Amino acid sequence: NMRDCYNKGRTKGCCVQSWHGEKSPVSRLTWDAVREIRSSRDSLSVLAARYGVTKGSVWKVVKGYTWNEEFE
């Protein structure tokens, strides 16, 4: 739903449009870290500890559910 809203330009003036990825004030990852996570062969636990996030967050990055480059 939000992707459709974004794609149709209906989020103008809303923080949702501009706070993706590194632009978010609560982001713990950078695009460089995301690319390293996606190319790494390390376990989710090792990556989570390395970057200070949860295993679930790392899994979502690896699967492409979060940090989607189409929004950047």
Side-chain angles (χ1 to χ4, degrees), residues 40 54 69:
S40 178
T54 66
E69 297 202 39

Side-chain angles (χ1 to χ4, degrees), residues 21-22 27-40 47 50-51 61 67 69 72:
E22 294 177 4
S27 175
R28 294 187 182 177
L29 297 173
T30 63
W31 276 108
D32 289 337
V34 168
R35 289 182 188 102
E36 289 174 21
I37 288 170
R38 288 182 175 155
S39 66
S40 178
L47 291 169
R50 183 180 303 154
Y51 293 103
V61 167
W67 289 83
E69 297 202 39
E72 288 305 310

Side-chain angles (χ1 to χ4, degrees), residues 3-54:
R3 181 172 292 163
D4 180 60
C5 184
Y6 179 84
N7 288 340
K8 293 178 179 175
R10 295 181 180 157
T11 58
K12 296 205 183 331
C14 176
C15 62
V16 173
Q17 186 174 15
S18 60
W19 283 11
H20 290 283
E22 294 177 4
K23 296 175 188 171
S24 172
V26 296
S27 175
R28 294 187 182 177
L29 297 173
T30 63
W31 276 108
D32 289 337
V34 168
R35 289 182 188 102
E36 289 174 21
I37 288 170
R38 288 182 175 155
S39 66
S40 178
R41 309 283 264 152
D42 292 334
S43 70
L44 296 178
S45 298
V46 169
L47 291 169
R50 183 180 303 154
Y51 293 103
V53 296
T54 66

